[in-house]
Amino acid sequence: MKERETFASRLGFVLISAGCAIGLGNVWRFPYIVGQYGGASFVLLYLVFLAILGLPIMAMEFAVGRASRASIATSFHKLEPKGSHWHIYSWFGMAGNYLLMMFYTTVAGWMLIYFVKMAVGEFTGLDADGVANIFVTLTSQQPGVMLIYMAFVVVLCMGVCALGLQNGVERITKVMMSCLLIILVVLAVRSVTLPGAAEGLRFYLMPNFQHLMYDGEGNFRLGEAVFAAMGQAFFTLSLGIGAMAIFGSYIGRERRLMGETLSVGLLDTFVALVVGLVIFPSAFAFGVNPGQGPSLIFITLPNIFNAMPGGRLWGALFFVFMSFAALSTVIAVFQNIITFPMDKWGWSRKKSVLVNLVAIFLLSLPCLLGFNLWSGFQPLKPGSNILDLEDFFLSNNLLPLGSLVYVLFCVSRRGWGWDNFMKEANAGMGIRFPEAIRFYMKWILPVIILFIFVMGYLQTFG
């Protein structure tokens, strides 16, 4: 049997795992949700839920991957008790990876398009309506442009994966993540030194629980804010579809998994928090409402860069950063996707890359066409599109239910079991996974996950 590939360094493991987690959830969704729910007080709430929800589940995914030395394709087969059927979930988990890429490749293409538009000065001199029209025109009237960039993302990222784990995925992701972090810090320094940035820093860094509990019209909304913080903490790490377990399968047993989980979680959180330092001081400096929802990145921020001295440069740098964040996630998930048939059926890396390159290109077309040629198809509610449907299947179903599967697998005697999980998690040096939270992991965490699952449906269809 061919020996499994491994990372060349611990840094490679941390950066690639973080690269998978650091995506549009951090750099797009996080800032506008913080803006909507009152700034610093919401950030504190988010950090609490990240610690009690996201990190334990990530440690479990890493443990399943490392113990089995396999991707989600065969990890449950190798660890489950004889006669049980946990392995059935492997097909749903892999479906989640494909679903994520069915819309993520298009959105990654948008980031590259915006970088080009910003760099060549296409936003210069436009008012707010002019900037908004660029996005509307791109999505509704230029499917050919979006197709070219989406195809470029698929070919580029599959090309990286074709080079292998160490020579391709690890080497390229290290460079990309290093550039991402440098650009982010440069942008944050520029933002916080703008005239008028102090008010934005106060909003973002000084908790005001009135802003958390009440909206701008005085309506009580603490429950809504708590659920939003839970959801962001839960979904930011892309847990439940084996996207983290795959990287656990490539690491040795020299270090305990809680320390590795904390390293990945802290880097993921650092990026999300520093993105806030880029956006909120800039927004307040130029009199822009930071709680403008999903349009913040594509409509609001280009207006800010237009008003900023040297804004064309800073805007281009920002969308380079956004592109790297998106591409690092695509590369990481592609690695999981191509490993599935390699583990399951013994395919060569080359065969798996070629087959999946074609498959993902074709599967990405409905999302892209959902904004133009197929825009009449509004599956969830009036105004929704195919991207919304794909995201609903993933975020409201496969991610929470998949996380529940991993938790139950690791705590149940009918699964892998708590003792086996603890033995794997605490193998090596470093921070131990706490035995004291066994009751929480077995009885409370599954209930919280089910609560998030049910609330997701109520928010979508209620």
Side-chain angles (χ1 to χ4, degrees), residues 2-8 69 161 163-168 246 249-251 335 338-339 342 349:
K2 185 179 178 182
E3 188 175 344
R4 190 165 188 79
E5 297 174 284
T6 58
F7 288 116
R69 309 301 292 170
C161 292
L163 296 173
L165 180 69
Q166 286 188 17
N167 294 329
I246 180 69
S249 76
Y250 295 131
I251 58 173
Q335 175 65 20
I338 66 170
T339 305
M342 292 167 65
R349 178 174 286 268

Side-chain angles (χ1 to χ4, degrees), residues 87 115 123 133 164 195 243 251 262 286 289 345-346 368 391 401 439:
H87 62 271
F115 159 67
F123 295 104
N133 285 336
I251 58 173
L262 285 171
F286 293 99
N289 175 14
W345 302 303
L368 188 151
D391 185 45
L401 295 180
F439 181 84

Side-chain angles (χ1 to χ4, degrees), residues 171-251:
R171 183 162 58 91
I172 301 299
T173 303
K174 274 184 180 179
V175 173
M176 194 180 298
M177 289 294 293
S178 300
C179 292
L180 181 152
L181 294 170
I182 292 168
I183 293 170
L184 182 59
V185 170
V186 169
L187 286 167
V189 170
R190 174 61 185 140
S191 181
V192 301
T193 54
L194 286 168
E199 189 63 30
L201 287 171
R202 193 174 297 112
F203 173 82
Y204 187 50
L205 299 178
M206 294 182 65
N208 183 329
F209 290 97
Q210 287 290 111
H211 291 163
L212 180 71
M213 293 189 290
Y214 298 94
D215 63 20
E217 298 176 357
N219 299 311
F220 187 74
R221 57 153 185 201
L222 181 60
E224 182 185 329
V226 167
F227 174 67
M230 273 186 179
Q232 180 63 22
F234 186 79
F235 297 126
T236 185
L237 300 173
S238 298
L239 300 170
I241 55 174
M244 288 296 164
I246 180 69
F247 302 119
S249 76
Y250 295 131
I251 58 173

Side-chain angles (χ1 to χ4, degrees), residues 125-160:
L126 295 180
D127 59 12
D129 290 338
V131 171
N133 285 336
I134 283 185
F135 185 70
V136 172
T137 301
L138 169 68
T139 54
S140 63
Q141 299 176 28
Q142 298 177 338
V145 173
M146 290 203 297
L147 180 66
I148 291 169
Y149 279 87
M150 181 272 282
F152 176 77
V153 168
V154 174
V155 172
L156 174 68
C157 296
M158 276 296 178
V160 170

Side-chain angles (χ1 to χ4, degrees), residues 107-397:
V107 179
W110 290 347
M111 300 304 172
L112 292 172
I113 292 170
Y114 262 62
F115 159 67
V116 172
K117 289 181 179 294
M118 187 67 73
V120 301
E122 196 168 322
F123 295 104
T124 304
L126 295 180
D127 59 12
D129 290 338
V131 171
N133 285 336
I134 283 185
F135 185 70
V136 172
T137 301
L138 169 68
T139 54
S140 63
Q141 299 176 28
Q142 298 177 338
V145 173
M146 290 203 297
L147 180 66
I148 291 169
Y149 279 87
M150 181 272 282
F152 176 77
V153 168
V154 174
V155 172
L156 174 68
C157 296
M158 276 296 178
V160 170
C161 292
L163 296 173
L165 180 69
Q166 286 188 17
N167 294 329
V169 177
E170 183 174 0
R171 183 162 58 91
I172 301 299
T173 303
K174 274 184 180 179
V175 173
M176 194 180 298
M177 289 294 293
S178 300
C179 292
L180 181 152
L181 294 170
I182 292 168
I183 293 170
L184 182 59
V185 170
V186 169
L187 286 167
V189 170
R190 174 61 185 140
S191 181
V192 301
T193 54
L194 286 168
E199 189 63 30
L201 287 171
R202 193 174 297 112
F203 173 82
Y204 187 50
L205 299 178
M206 294 182 65
N208 183 329
F209 290 97
Q210 287 290 111
H211 291 163
L212 180 71
M213 293 189 290
Y214 298 94
D215 63 20
E217 298 176 357
N219 299 311
F220 187 74
R221 57 153 185 201
L222 181 60
E224 182 185 329
V226 167
F227 174 67
M230 273 186 179
Q232 180 63 22
F234 186 79
F235 297 126
T236 185
L237 300 173
S238 298
L239 300 170
I241 55 174
M244 288 296 164
I246 180 69
F247 302 119
S249 76
Y250 295 131
I251 58 173
R253 305 182 85 228
E254 296 82 16
R255 300 186 65 87
R256 291 175 179 145
L257 290 174
M258 196 62 210
E260 307 297 72
T261 299
L262 285 171
S263 296
V264 174
L266 286 172
L267 186 54
D268 174 78
T269 305
F270 170 79
V271 169
L273 294 178
V274 180
V275 169
L277 289 178
V278 175
I279 290 175
F280 293 110
S282 301
F284 277 84
F286 293 99
V288 172
N289 175 14
Q292 293 192 2
S295 66
L296 182 67
I297 294 297
F298 295 112
I299 297 172
T300 308
L301 282 178
N303 282 305
I304 292 175
F305 291 126
N306 270 347
M308 187 185 294
R312 187 166 154 187
L313 168 64
W314 299 113
L317 273 178
F318 179 79
F319 283 105
V320 168
F321 158 72
M322 293 291 290
S323 298
F324 282 174
L327 292 174
S328 66
T329 300
V330 174
I331 290 170
V333 176
F334 276 5
Q335 175 65 20
N336 198 22
I337 286 173
I338 66 170
T339 305
F340 187 91
M342 292 167 65
D343 285 352
K344 190 83 172 173
W345 302 303
W347 287 15
S348 68
R349 178 174 286 268
K350 180 180 179 181
K351 178 181 178 180
S352 187
V353 165
L354 289 174
V355 171
N356 278 295
L357 188 154
V358 175
I360 290 172
F361 174 79
L362 294 175
L363 289 170
S364 299
L365 291 177
C367 170
L368 188 151
L369 297 174
F371 291 93
N372 36 78
L373 299 180
W374 296 351
S375 60
F377 178 54
Q378 300 178 6
L380 296 178
K381 54 188 175 183
S384 67
N385 53 44
I386 293 174
L387 186 154
D388 296 323
L389 179 65
E390 292 169 347
D391 185 45
F392 170 76
F393 281 133
L394 177 70
S395 298
N396 292 67
N397 294 275

